Amino acid sequence: MIPRLLISLSEKDKRVILIFFLLIIVAIAFIAIIGAIITRVMKWQGKRMDDLTHDVVVTNVIDNKKDFLRYARIKNWYTFFKQAWKPLLILLATSLIIIIHNGATNNWQYDMLDYEKTGFNTLFFIWDFNDPNIYHSFFGIKMICDWPTIINYPHFSLEAWASYLFFFGMIIGGAWYLVALQCVIARTIRMYKLSYDLYRKSLDGYNKYQADQQQLK
């Protein structure tokens, strides 16, 4: 059945199917890599909560769940602010650069997405996805079936220096802040797990008769 279907398909249909499966494979690989990185950071930063609360637990400075959670929250958010202020400063500085640049040049129409002169897209390949000739209707769904024409090759433009600073500043600051946010979430999860493991009350293996006999002795 499948070989007959493939024979009946046009070259454009076969190309659409190939591109579709390639996109699925790339998406799965990308998600797997991002997932592995997130899992590793979560485990690493989760263990950081152990370092922050170790001393007060082993020395019995804190001996109950309520005080442990209160102390752990303070240490957790204090650590977050220590990690987050630098990326937030980068994000603020890059935003101010654009405001100062536009005010100094009196050009509030400055296009940071432009790929010819003023935008950071000058650093990337730009394809013409508006070309109707690269699309084909496949079972009623309009899908891309051919490589679009390249309308811009990477090049440096002096007029786009503010866009470059803004782009790289936002990428670095934003990624750094997201990691800090992920860290505080990981430590929060670990905090509640520790509070349960350290201070939970359990009757597993408890025998009231034996306990009473030991007290009598």
Side-chain angles (χ1 to χ4, degrees):
M1 180 66 182
I2 294 178
R4 290 182 180 178
L5 177 62
L6 290 176
I7 292 174
S8 63
L9 293 175
S10 66
E11 287 300 319
K12 281 191 174 183
D13 290 335
K14 293 177 182 178
R15 199 177 301 169
V16 168
I17 294 173
L18 178 61
I19 292 174
F20 178 73
F21 280 108
L22 285 176
L23 289 175
I24 291 177
I25 293 172
V26 171
I28 292 173
F30 181 76
I31 292 172
I33 292 172
I34 295 298
I37 293 173
I38 291 175
T39 301
R40 189 163 185 174
V41 172
M42 292 287 282
K43 288 182 178 179
W44 167 52
Q45 279 298 318
K47 286 294 184 182
R48 181 78 188 278
M49 180 53 70
D50 295 46
D51 297 334
L52 296 173
T53 58
H54 174 271
D55 293 346
V56 295
V57 172
V58 299
T59 58
N60 288 325
V61 173
I62 291 178
D63 58 0
N64 61 83
K65 182 178 180 179
K66 183 178 179 181
D67 290 341
F68 175 82
L69 286 174
R70 183 186 298 114
Y71 179 83
R73 286 192 193 98
I74 293 172
K75 298 293 287 186
N76 189 21
W77 286 107
Y78 175 75
T79 304
F80 170 72
F81 291 132
K82 278 183 65 177
Q83 294 175 335
W85 74 268
K86 292 180 180 178
L88 286 174
L89 184 62
I90 292 174
L91 293 173
L92 178 61
T94 51
S95 300
L96 287 175
I97 285 173
I98 293 298
I99 294 174
I100 294 172
H101 171 270
N102 291 351
T105 59
N106 197 24
N107 180 17
W108 298 100
Q109 303 298 321
Y110 188 77
D111 187 1
M112 291 188 294
L113 299 177
D114 179 57
Y115 60 83
E116 294 179 347
K117 291 183 179 181
T118 62
F120 56 79
N121 279 326
T122 55
L123 300 176
F124 304 100
F125 286 99
I126 303 295
W127 288 269
D128 185 12
F129 287 98
N130 293 322
D131 184 0
N133 296 321
I134 65 174
Y135 295 96
H136 177 64
S137 182
F138 183 71
F139 291 109
I141 302 175
K142 193 175 183 181
M143 298 183 65
I144 187 170
C145 66
D146 201 356
W147 290 109
T149 305
I150 297 177
I151 57 178
N152 180 71
Y153 288 89
H155 65 278
F156 178 80
S157 174
L158 188 60
E159 295 180 46
W161 68 268
S163 296
Y164 297 157
L165 286 177
F166 181 82
F167 174 73
F168 289 111
M170 285 295 171
I171 290 293
I172 295 171
W176 193 348
Y177 181 78
L178 286 177
V179 170
L181 197 61
Q182 181 189 350
C183 291
V184 76
I185 295 172
R187 290 193 299 269
T188 300
I189 295 172
R190 179 65 176 170
M191 174 183 71
Y192 281 102
K193 185 178 186 305
L194 284 174
S195 69
Y196 174 77
D197 292 340
L198 291 172
Y199 303 104
R200 69 175 174 148
K201 296 178 180 180
S202 175
L203 293 176
D204 292 340
Y206 176 77
N207 186 295
K208 190 174 188 310
Y209 174 77
Q210 292 179 352
D212 291 340
Q213 290 298 317
Q214 288 178 358
Q215 288 179 357
L216 290 174
K217 293 179 181 180

